[in-house]
Amino acid sequence: MNPGSNRSCQRFLVGLAVALQLFVGVRAKADDGYRLWLRYDPLPGRMIRTYRPGVTSIVVTGHSATLDAIRRELVNGCSGLLGSPVPIAGDVRQDGALIVGTPESSPLVASLRWNTQLAPLGPEGFRIHSLKLGGHPVIVIASAGEVGALYGAFHFLRLLQTLQPIKRLDVTQKPRLQLRMLDHWDNLDGSVERGYAGKSLWNWSALPGAVDPRLGDYARANASIGINGSLLNNVNANAKILTADYLRKVAAIADVFRPYGVRIFLSARFSAPIELGGLKTADPLNPEVGTWWKQKADEIYQAVPDFGGFVVKANSEGQPGPRTYNRTHVDGANMLAAALAPHNGVVIWRAFVYDMKPGYDRAGAAYENLQPFDGKFAGNVLLQVKNGPIDFQPREPFHPLFGAMPRTQLMPEFQITQEYLGFSNHLVFLAPMWREVLDSDTYAKGPRSTVARVADGSLYAQRLTGIAGVANTGSDRNWTGHHFLQANWYTFGRLAWNPDLPSRQIAGEWIGMTLTHEPKALATIARIMLGSHEALVDYMTPLGLHHIMWGGHHYGPAPWWDTFERADWNPVYYHRADDRGLGFDRTSTGSNTVSQYHPAVRNRFENLATCPEEFLLWFHHVPWDHRMKSGRTMWDELALHYQRGVDWTRSTRKDWNSLAGVIDPERHAAVAKKLAIQERDAIWWRDACLLYFQTFSKLPIPAGVEKPARTLKEYKAKSLVW
Ligand code: GCV
């Protein structure tokens, strides 16, 4: 066989593979959502014609697991999107070569002498540049590190997937935050705390012998949006994860994640020295305890040399911690930090700490517990702070700690899984919610001291930076239980990479990559997504209400709930409805936790006239007849918000139905079914809350708000979860 026929045979085989992949993709896989936003179906014809001359071959020289992943991704991606095979080449022989690599892996990249440009971008940053090589127009994707080159490859594919021009590319990017982590609250028995998309992705009983290939897909999806860390186990931790047996399993997962730049973190149970080591104490100042953790750290790094570090939930909701031994959070965190420091590991200490004491306000607890330790944590400790002061409610003001610990490495924690936002049943796009937090101004160093600038280290020049999102993934075929909630995983990664990205841009990217390029449909879906968070707040917790959900499972309304032994787990503790009005007085006449904010913020929240209405009942106990900006009474306004939320679910169902035929039938039908549940739940929330609050306000349901479908007794009798 001559070399020519060899080449044409190769081309035929690649073509067949692509055709088969497309066929299988379209007929079997395309519709079940498994491929997430990495769908490489052919782009609209005009775009293929525009792009084709610019992408004629893929030149990725060298071999490593990451370089192989880059090559695979670009061949599949470009061939799929451009509708015909894009071959691999060893060199530039024609116009349109796509050259990818590092100066070490690629002689072509090395020949450009970009080292001074690449070095400041770090091993995860990249440069994509159109230029001429040997007289041929080419595109070069280069990075100082292989993972950076992989991120660049995904960025390039995203440009194609979102129909961006690629003629004269000059892109330089690097992540703004260093640790970009997905936190899994997965238990070792395969269940997922607050997980609504099936079972855990980690099959502990089969590992390390059998590794589910899906783990590679998980790592690849994360790499495509720049996520570089994965906390494998629940922060309500089982010490068993640190046994030699489990560490072998962890190592097998790490091997799959490594080529994609995803490092592993583990939740460490503070009492592990007792449970696993047989010590009598876990007192962080006891030398034997310190030695036990040091040896454990050495053992972990033997198994997983690039292990990221520990995440610790201590003295919170029954978890053990240093306070158990009359030691401080700093004592605990710094002891673990010393064990990890020789390996460059970090400790991520959670600020989600609240101890019930008489008359206290839970919203102020984390600040009271942690703020006094500002400046005392070791250099490899990050303090992980939830976006709001209570607990991932549909809307909370930003956490006051973000403006109050200038000498501590703070790391925001978001919740992607929808514990309080309708599980995987409600379509809610979380970008606007997270934007609201990231854009909040702490005023810690004057105006423009936003949470984003605290997180990315630019406000206080913190050395280590990071962000964590509690994952919404699981074993469901579509990963997140609801097709649209893939967008929240996507968003988290994009914001972790660049916390300034606008919600609209993220929505547009995701829709184009995942659902459709059809302009009218894209605009309709973007409108749905961008309005969804406000709508959910309207039908669940408008005007600053919070924590009025059913106890335990947290799905559906139960503002009447008052039977938990801990007052701060009961909704009545939070809304404080009485004959006078509604809301939690956190001003100086109440709990005064408003004082935890910088004076500029505090004064705005403290004053009823300047407090943003979306936080009114968070900070104030407001009379039912208080005049709102609209001129309506608070009661009428509250009722109209609830109605507005319900109206949104109805118009969204109509809008979605109008897209039948544009979206593939399987995903269209699945989303339509979920939207029906969402409408039912929104009505349930509106009616149950208004009927209950009406027992205090004694005011009629205003005009424009539908009369409740059931009685309060009926709503009280039945939880929405069955
Ligand atoms: C992992 C809330 C959730 C708990 C969760 C906790 C936390 O209380 O309901 O399930 O526990 O937050 O963030 O630690």
Side-chain angles (χ1 to χ4, degrees):
M1 208 187 267
N2 68 37
S5 68
N6 200 355
R7 258 202 306 279
S8 56
C9 171
Q10 225 176 18
R11 265 205 299 273
F12 171 76
L13 285 176
V14 176
L16 189 67
V18 170
L20 270 175
Q21 191 206 339
L22 293 180
F23 179 75
V24 173
V26 171
R27 293 301 299 273
K29 282 200 208 153
D31 302 342
D32 65 11
Y34 184 81
R35 292 181 297 164
L36 297 162
W37 47 88
L38 298 173
R39 297 156 59 83
Y40 296 142
D41 295 342
L43 295 170
R46 72 193 153 80
M47 293 314 294
I48 293 183
R49 285 189 292 280
T50 313
Y51 288 148
R52 207 64 180 84
V55 189
T56 58
S57 64
I58 288 157
V59 186
V60 185
T61 49
H63 282 285
S64 73
T66 303
L67 290 168
D68 294 346
I70 295 174
R71 201 176 293 111
R72 220 170 25 242
E73 199 66 40
L74 286 172
V75 169
N76 285 338
C78 294
S79 303
L81 292 166
L82 303 182
S84 60
V86 180
I88 294 167
D91 211 341
V92 179
R93 299 246 166 78
Q94 53 182 337
D95 295 357
L98 182 61
I99 301 155
V100 190
T102 68
E104 286 74 38
S105 74
S106 162
L108 287 170
V109 171
S111 74
L112 298 171
R113 301 187 190 288
W114 280 357
N115 296 42
T116 46
Q117 283 108 313
L118 296 182
L121 302 176
E124 294 185 315
F126 56 82
R127 181 171 191 212
I128 307 181
H129 197 48
S130 305
L131 51 104
K132 277 199 167 175
L133 264 186
H136 296 292
V138 300
I139 295 171
V140 177
I141 303 176
S143 170
E146 291 184 1
V147 170
L150 176 68
Y151 290 161
F154 277 118
H155 185 89
F156 178 77
L157 287 166
R158 186 183 305 122
L159 293 177
L160 301 185
Q161 287 177 285
T162 54
L163 316 183
Q164 302 301 304
I166 59 161
K167 261 238 150 78
R168 276 173 290 279
L169 286 175
D170 194 5
V171 178
T172 350
Q173 288 208 4
K174 69 174 194 176
R176 288 256 300 277
L177 299 167
Q178 293 158 26
L179 300 177
R180 305 176 298 280
M181 290 175 53
L182 268 196
D183 284 5
H184 293 268
W185 288 353
D186 291 18
N187 299 313
L188 303 188
D189 66 2
S191 62
V192 180
E193 181 156 344
R194 313 303 180 189
Y196 315 105
K199 308 251 316 163
S200 171
L201 289 167
W202 338 126
N203 186 348
W204 293 111
S205 55
L207 286 160
V211 186
D212 185 348
R214 186 163 184 171
L215 299 197
D217 294 338
Y218 162 89
R220 170 177 164 252
N222 279 326
S224 76
I225 47 176
I227 287 174
N228 66 357
S230 177
L231 170 70
L232 294 184
N233 62 318
N234 193 350
V235 288
N236 291 329
N238 185 334
K240 228 162 87 180
I241 192 84
L242 300 177
T243 58
D245 192 24
Y246 268 86
L247 290 177
R248 274 191 291 276
K249 299 168 191 277
V250 169
I253 299 179
D255 289 344
V256 179
F257 289 3
R258 192 167 295 114
Y260 290 98
V262 179
R263 289 199 303 157
I264 285 193
F265 291 76
L266 294 176
S267 291
R269 186 165 166 85
F270 203 77
S271 52
I274 302 174
E275 286 148 31
L276 303 183
L279 302 193
K280 290 216 166 48
T281 177
D283 180 347
L285 298 192
N286 179 310
E288 275 185 82
V289 172
T291 305
W292 187 87
W293 280 109
K294 274 202 164 72
Q295 286 168 352
K296 187 48 77 180
D298 294 346
E299 185 190 344
I300 295 173
Y301 280 91
Q302 279 283 325
V304 185
D306 54 354
F307 179 64
F310 292 139
V311 178
V312 189
K313 173 175 177 175
N315 295 117
S316 165
E317 299 185 332
Q319 293 301 304
R323 304 281 308 124
T324 319
Y325 306 94
N326 260 334
R327 307 298 185 193
T328 67
H329 286 280
V330 166
D331 293 332
N334 289 358
M335 180 273 295
L336 291 175
L340 295 172
H343 309 280
N344 294 321
V346 301
V347 171
I348 297 173
W349 196 261
R350 295 180 84 231
F352 182 66
V353 179
Y354 60 107
D355 307 311
M356 188 68 217
K357 25 178 209 199
Y360 101 127
D361 173 3
R362 176 170 158 188
Y367 182 104
E368 284 166 18
N369 275 286
L370 276 314
Q371 199 283 335
F373 298 117
D374 186 30
K376 305 242 163 45
F377 288 101
N380 58 334
V381 175
L382 291 116
L383 188 66
Q384 182 165 287
V385 181
K386 289 191 179 183
N387 55 271
I390 292 201
D391 190 11
F392 299 136
Q393 295 299 295
R395 170 170 274 139
E396 298 195 29
F398 71 91
H399 203 301
L401 280 178
F402 288 118
M405 297 191 76
R407 292 174 301 140
T408 303
Q409 306 185 116
L410 297 178
M411 167 171 177
E413 178 178 2
F414 290 166
Q415 195 180 43
I416 313 173
T417 190
Q418 290 168 212
E419 173 180 358
Y420 299 103
L421 289 85
F423 293 5
S424 284
N425 282 336
H426 291 206
L427 188 168
V428 51
F429 178 50
L430 296 176
M433 180 171 97
W434 294 332
R435 272 257 58 82
E436 196 172 292
V437 175
L438 292 166
D439 292 340
S440 294
D441 201 338
T442 68
Y443 280 88
K445 277 177 103 181
R448 285 182 296 284
S449 302
T450 59
V451 172
R453 292 193 57 217
V454 174
D456 75 4
S458 58
L459 196 69
Y460 298 125
Q462 73 182 50
R463 193 178 63 82
L464 288 176
T465 58
I467 190 165
V470 182
N472 63 347
T473 49
S475 60
D476 278 6
R477 182 70 191 162
N478 71 5
W479 299 88
T480 54
H482 184 314
H483 291 287
F484 267 84
L485 305 186
Q486 297 177 352
N488 294 331
W489 179 10
Y490 180 84
T491 299
F492 174 74
R494 298 290 287 136
L495 284 178
W497 183 271
N498 176 2
D500 287 338
L501 278 185
S503 305
R504 182 171 291 281
Q505 179 185 329
I506 301 171
E509 285 177 5
W510 180 80
I511 299 165
M513 294 165 83
T514 316
L515 290 172
T516 181
H517 288 298
E518 203 282 305
K520 237 179 99 196
L522 200 146
T524 303
I525 298 169
R527 197 178 61 237
I528 291 176
M529 289 171 72
L530 292 167
S532 59
H533 173 248
E534 203 57 51
L536 178 130
V537 171
D538 276 340
Y539 66 69
M540 285 190 179
T541 51
L543 300 182
L545 284 172
H546 50 286
H547 214 290
I548 55 172
M549 70 290 157
W550 204 273
H553 56 64
H554 297 171
Y555 190 85
W560 48 82
W561 196 295
D562 63 356
T563 52
F564 277 131
E565 69 283 9
R566 275 187 71 142
D568 61 349
W569 285 347
N570 289 316
V572 295
Y573 166 92
Y574 294 95
H575 63 66
R576 312 217 157 187
D578 59 20
D579 294 349
R580 283 189 315 113
L582 181 63
F584 198 129
D585 183 0
R586 297 194 163 104
T587 69
S588 46
T589 58
S591 73
N592 201 26
T593 48
V594 72
S595 66
Q596 295 176 347
Y597 291 98
H598 186 275
V601 184
R602 175 208 308 163
N603 294 342
R604 195 160 57 95
F605 288 154
E606 161 95 17
N607 184 337
L608 194 60
T610 55
C611 182
E613 287 192 346
E614 64 265 30
F615 296 128
L616 202 63
L617 306 178
W618 185 285
F619 287 110
H620 298 270
H621 190 71
V622 180
W624 296 108
D625 60 357
H626 168 77
R627 285 285 153 202
M628 305 289 286
K629 291 200 182 83
S630 63
R632 286 189 279 268
T633 63
M634 183 270 280
W635 166 252
D636 284 1
E637 188 81 16
L638 183 77
L640 285 161
H641 272 277
Y642 272 110
Q643 182 63 44
R644 201 164 74 185
V646 170
D647 292 346
W648 179 90
T649 61
R650 296 201 177 119
S651 62
T652 294
R653 288 185 71 187
K654 282 205 192 89
D655 285 345
W656 184 252
N657 288 342
S658 77
L659 300 175
V662 183
I663 308 298
D664 54 82
E666 193 176 338
R667 286 187 297 169
H668 188 270
V671 170
K673 225 162 132 183
K674 294 275 189 180
L675 287 173
I677 298 174
Q678 191 166 358
E679 182 189 343
R680 179 208 61 185
D681 292 356
I683 293 171
W684 197 285
W685 270 95
R686 179 198 63 195
D687 292 357
C689 291
L690 288 181
L691 283 171
Y692 170 74
F693 290 135
Q694 195 181 33
T695 63
F696 298 94
S697 80
K698 313 257 177 352
L699 292 165
I701 305 275
V705 179
E706 290 160 15
K707 299 288 165 278
R710 295 161 189 249
T711 64
L712 181 57
K713 201 168 159 215
E714 285 174 285
Y715 285 120
K716 279 183 169 182
K718 189 165 170 277
S719 138
L720 263 168
V721 166
W722 54 82

